[in-house]
Amino acid sequence: MASIPDTLNASLQSILSGDPWYGPNTYSIIDSITFEDAYEMPPGAVHSIAGILLHMLGWAQEVTQRMQGQPAGEPAAGDWPNPGNPDEDKWQQLKDNFKLANVTLQSVINSLPADKWDAPTNDTRDPAMGTGVTYRQLIEGLIQHHIYHSGQLALMNRLLS
């Protein structure tokens, strides 16, 4: 039987760069998006692709901090930071930062002691903030968050292409 960290890391790796059953993985989705399309606002959209990826990056970083015992809060740059003006280098840096944040998270997952996985995080329960869950639920929630927004990225990219 696989350990909790092995199982969670396998799930995270599958959706990020593996072969998930539902379609393309997150990295292949973001790597297929041009910087022009990343900053384009499709009709009726509230956020651009770059804005959604910034949101995903912020929450990957926030979850990593919670895994390390920090109290919950919004991501340092905010829940939905403004991606700014279109810039090819900035788009590449955003993709690289997202990938690095997830590698860092996987390292933190591997280092969490076995007896903490079913323990509550350092916060009281607040469903709107996603707090007061166990460490396992926190990572499962981030995986779900990544899947949800990856679908948005794929659909928006298809609309813009």
Side-chain angles (χ1 to χ4, degrees):
M1 186 166 145
S3 70
I4 293 170
D6 290 344
T7 301
L8 292 172
N9 265 330
S11 293
L12 186 57
Q13 194 62 36
S14 174
I15 66 141
L16 291 172
S17 62
D19 187 20
W21 70 268
Y22 53 79
N25 66 59
T26 303
Y27 293 163
S28 68
I29 293 168
I30 64 174
D31 287 339
S32 72
I33 299 169
T34 66
F35 85 92
E36 296 95 348
D37 286 347
Y39 291 89
E40 184 71 28
M41 191 72 82
V46 177
H47 303 287
S48 66
I49 288 171
I52 293 171
L53 191 59
L54 268 172
H55 170 78
M56 293 171 71
L57 168 62
W59 282 104
Q61 293 168 331
E62 171 63 24
V63 165
T64 299
Q65 291 174 342
R66 292 180 190 188
M67 290 293 294
Q68 296 171 319
Q70 296 296 316
E74 276 197 3
D79 191 18
W80 289 100
N82 184 337
N85 294 323
D87 180 293
E88 190 167 6
D89 291 335
K90 190 168 61 172
W91 173 238
Q92 185 59 51
Q93 187 64 53
L94 175 56
K95 293 188 296 182
D96 291 345
N97 288 347
F98 178 73
K99 292 174 184 179
L100 179 59
N102 283 286
V103 168
T104 301
L105 176 59
Q106 289 180 301
S107 176
V108 170
I109 289 169
N110 285 331
S111 67
L112 192 74
D115 63 338
K116 286 194 84 166
W117 281 105
D118 290 319
T121 58
N122 186 23
D123 295 288
T124 57
R125 185 71 180 122
D126 179 355
M129 277 293 292
T131 59
V133 296
T134 66
Y135 287 91
R136 181 193 323 225
Q137 290 169 315
L138 183 62
I139 296 302
E140 289 171 343
L142 183 71
I143 291 168
Q144 294 163 3
H145 187 258
H146 278 354
I147 293 169
Y148 174 81
H149 288 301
S150 294
Q152 287 181 315
L153 297 176
L155 288 172
M156 289 175 74
N157 190 40
R158 187 173 293 163
L159 287 171
L160 293 167
S161 298

